Amino acid sequence: MTIVSGNGFKKKSITADALAMMEVAQREGIETVWDRLAKQEPQCGYCNLGTSCRICAMGPCRVDPFGDGPQKGVCGADADIIVARNLARMIAAGASSHSDHGRDILETLHRVGEGKTDVYSISEPEKLKALAAEYGLETEGKSDQEIAAELAWEMMEDFGMRREKLPLASRAPSSRQEIWENTGTYPRGIDRENVEALHRTHMGVDNDWVNILLHAVRTGLSDGWGGSMIATELSDVLFGIPTPKISSMNLGVLKADEVNIILHGHNPMLSEVIVAAAQDPEMLKLAEKAGAKGINLAGLCCTGNEVLMRKGIPMAGNHLMQELCIMTGVIEAMVVDYQCIMPAVTETAGCYHTKVISTFDKAKFPGAEHISFNPENGMAIGKQIVQSAVENYTNRVPERVHIPVEPAPMMAGFSIEAILNALGGTPDPLIDAIKEGTIRGAVGVVGCNNPKLKQDMGQVELTKRLIENDILVVVTGCAAVANGKAGQMVPEAAEMAGEGLGAVCKALGIPPVLHLGSCVDNTRILVLAAALANTLGVDIDALPLAGAAPEWYSEKAVAIGAYVVASGIYTVLGTAPPVFGSPNVVKLLTEGLQGVFGATFAVEPDPNRAAALIRRHIEKKRSDLGLSALEPESIPMPEVEVALA
Ligand code: XCC
Ligand code: SF4
């Protein structure tokens, strides 16, 4: 194996644990994501611009919008059509991923309703009843189990074709829903929108690029106000509504003298069971027998966020840490469900004693041990997995153990219910603070890591700039983990905030950066935005809000971007999506959408400049609402100076 990252790894991350493990990788000759990226470079310019197409066998085709190469694919598709089709397919893939995750949770609720599971039950009967009421179900005199069965049955219809509108989308302000109706983007059925997106982008179907993109928006909305929202709501019902709790993040959460199990992926169904199984006295005894002091669970990516939010399980790291964490030499098992799990992890694990255990039949990994998860006898399977990890403890090689840092404390668990609770039961104190100007506005800074960008830098720097200018930051996904590692998510971080936001945080005992959960939990941001808008009697696009995804990589992030903008929230991306081969599409996304949804995309990799764009936007919205506001142009736009990679 050749190591092409060389000594350049200092440029690849801002975190001490990642840099330390990159050194180990180099010393031991273990390939990482950065090495593989370097081997791909230069990456294809056509693909970067979005102007390559391999949708059919007359192709593959590439069009050259800025040169004198071909301007059309074999079928006659030009750059606009090809870019729009590719973007629509990205959104459909992302929306399908979130929504299929939602479906798995929904099936679990259904099993609870049918009494066909030995592990799950209703943790939040009040939330279950409230949801049932939203679906028009009568709950009086019915048991939780009966309500679960009926609600699950109703929600299954959200995936189908009988509905004209997704019920949860009616949480949006009515003016927003009117926009969706008038533009033909109101999401109907989740699977329907996704299948239709694939249909429309087949050769010779929808060839009007605007029409393709409008349907792509509808597909995104079926994720945000559909599949993802179902995933979040039902995970709360089954596993508990998150409440604020102190936990910790980075590779320092791993324990040298305990069995370490990493929970990686997205779906909390299995990880919830593992959390229970790892506390089982029988398992603890086995661990003791193997010579370990205990069983330590740690999360990665969004499965990690799910169990952090609800159970306070510490987080080993975000997306780019998945290979590096194995190199600590202390991971007995990496238990994976699905999404964002690099196929490379089994090879890295092969260099150590680490077992990779795959658990969903739809997500198998060559080189992993597959233990098929079945919710009907989940506890037995959970114990089997924990036991397999415990038995692997004796294979650990003490000389290779290297835990490079001390854990960073952080606070998680900010469901909307928890935020309202912290505010004393209503959003009014937050609204008042925004009206007074002590808090200028709020921004969701979300998304992934991407090896093309210095790990965590965009996320952490952008957040810094926003909170020091009195903008409340809410975070999810791998982005949240960057903030946690950087110490921005403890109540003491109020010191990093501006005077106004800092004072509010100190009064409430909360950090200026609130962890809302996994990526499907971006729907919590929609719910909060809708609640604020409805309280104020305005549409979401009138609020001083924005979104940002400084280091996104995944198709899911594109789906999120689509539903966030179509819900009226201006969004700044740090990585360019593959659309720049069509100036028409770019113009629509960055300008044209304003007239339709009241919000647009911007692309700005430099976090300081992104912060300036967002601050200008927020001040503009404040001024439009008649609130005290700075002149947007008075906020300086910094020169590009941060080394990005
Ligand atoms: Fe995946 Fe959700 Fe992105 Fe992290 S943030 S890399 S999507 S795990 Ni969602
Ligand atoms: Fe080429 Fe058109 Fe086929 Fe795409 S759909 S591969 S542009 S012929």
Side-chain angles (χ1 to χ4, degrees), residues 53-56 58-61 73-75 77 82 85 203:
C53 182
R54 44 161 196 70
I55 278 173
C56 86
M58 295 190 285
C61 304
V74 175
C75 67
I82 293 177
R85 277 196 309 220
M203 200 311 269

Side-chain angles (χ1 to χ4, degrees), residues 98 264-266 300-303 305 318-320 322 338-341 446-450 476-481 517-520 522 551-557 560:
H98 283 145
H264 181 10
H266 283 78
L300 262 186
C301 285
C302 283
T303 292
N305 281 322
N318 43 8
H319 184 55
L320 288 178
Q322 56 186 296
Y338 45 53
Q339 300 169 15
C340 300
I341 300 140
V446 308
C448 321
N449 285 150
N450 185 323
T476 59
C478 287
V481 185
S518 65
C519 294
V520 294
N522 281 317
E551 302 176 43
W552 74 274
Y553 94 89
S554 145
E555 291 164 319
K556 291 176 286 171
I560 294 167

Side-chain angles (χ1 to χ4, degrees), residues 235-236 239-240 242 245 272 306-312 524:
S235 294
D236 283 359
F239 312 128
K245 42 184 72 69
E272 283 283 330
E306 298 277 355
V307 286
L308 166 69
M309 291 285 287
R310 297 197 179 85
K311 300 281 155 33
R524 297 192 200 276

Side-chain angles (χ1 to χ4, degrees), residues 501-626:
L501 174 64
V504 174
C505 291
K506 279 177 205 162
L508 298 174
I510 59 170
V513 182
L514 302 180
H515 192 344
L516 266 59
S518 65
C519 294
V520 294
D521 293 339
N522 281 317
T523 59
R524 297 192 200 276
I525 299 177
L526 294 183
V527 170
L528 181 61
L532 293 176
N534 286 333
T535 308
L536 287 168
V538 297
D539 197 353
I540 294 173
D541 66 322
L543 299 171
L545 303 178
E551 302 176 43
W552 74 274
Y553 94 89
S554 145
E555 291 164 319
K556 291 176 286 171
V558 187
I560 294 167
Y563 73 64
V564 167
V565 169
S567 299
I569 302 175
Y570 170 68
T571 297
V572 182
L573 306 174
T575 322
V579 296
F580 282 84
S582 166
N584 282 331
V585 170
V586 171
K587 197 157 189 289
L588 179 76
L589 297 180
T590 58
E591 295 171 27
L593 291 181
Q594 185 66 38
V596 187
F597 297 108
T600 59
F601 285 100
V603 178
E604 178 50 70
D606 183 308
N608 291 317
R609 291 172 62 83
L613 285 174
I614 289 170
R615 288 186 57 212
R616 286 179 175 186
H617 169 81
I618 283 181
E619 295 300 332
K620 164 95 177 42
K621 291 294 166 187
R622 293 185 60 84
S623 152
D624 290 351
L625 280 171

Side-chain angles (χ1 to χ4, degrees), residues 311-557:
K311 300 281 155 33
I313 300 295
M315 177 71 99
N318 43 8
H319 184 55
L320 288 178
M321 299 308 290
Q322 56 186 296
E323 297 169 277
L324 300 182
C325 77
I326 295 171
M327 298 174 201
T328 57
V330 296
I331 313 256
E332 274 59 53
M334 176 179 277
V335 182
V336 303
D337 49 85
Y338 45 53
Q339 300 169 15
C340 300
I341 300 140
M342 293 188 200
V345 292
T346 51
E347 193 171 317
T348 315
C351 305
Y352 291 84
H353 75 299
T354 304
K355 278 188 196 174
V356 178
I357 302 176
S358 57
T359 54
F360 274 73
D361 289 347
K362 60 180 114 182
K364 293 193 175 181
F365 294 75
E369 177 181 337
H370 189 70
I371 301 182
S372 177
F373 184 63
N374 176 355
E376 294 188 8
N377 56 344
M379 189 45 85
I381 297 169
K383 282 191 193 167
Q384 185 192 349
I385 291 172
V386 172
Q387 183 169 351
S388 173
V390 169
E391 286 165 359
N392 197 20
Y393 183 74
T394 49
N395 296 323
R396 198 189 278 186
V397 182
E399 300 75 48
R400 294 186 84 194
V401 170
H402 180 51
I403 300 174
V405 291
E406 290 297 316
M410 55 78 60
M411 196 178 201
F414 289 95
S415 55
I416 300 310
E417 291 87 338
I419 293 174
L420 291 179
N421 202 26
L423 293 170
T426 78
D428 294 348
L430 178 59
I431 291 174
D432 291 343
I434 291 175
K435 280 186 177 163
E436 284 160 17
T438 40
I439 295 178
R440 312 302 298 171
V443 178
V445 190
V446 308
C448 321
N449 285 150
N450 185 323
K452 293 179 180 176
L453 299 169
K454 193 184 248 190
Q455 186 202 11
D456 289 4
M457 192 198 70
Q459 179 69 22
V460 169
E461 287 301 310
L462 174 59
T463 302
K464 233 186 245 171
R465 295 292 93 80
L466 296 176
I467 60 174
E468 69 194 18
N469 286 294
D470 292 321
I471 294 169
L472 177 70
V473 171
V474 295
V475 293
T476 59
C478 287
V481 185
N483 301 110
K485 286 186 278 182
Q488 294 172 329
M489 249 195 269
V490 283
E492 299 76 46
E495 297 295 338
M496 301 178 192
E499 228 171 87
L501 174 64
V504 174
C505 291
K506 279 177 205 162
L508 298 174
I510 59 170
V513 182
L514 302 180
H515 192 344
L516 266 59
S518 65
C519 294
V520 294
D521 293 339
N522 281 317
T523 59
R524 297 192 200 276
I525 299 177
L526 294 183
V527 170
L528 181 61
L532 293 176
N534 286 333
T535 308
L536 287 168
V538 297
D539 197 353
I540 294 173
D541 66 322
L543 299 171
L545 303 178
E551 302 176 43
W552 74 274
Y553 94 89
S554 145
E555 291 164 319
K556 291 176 286 171

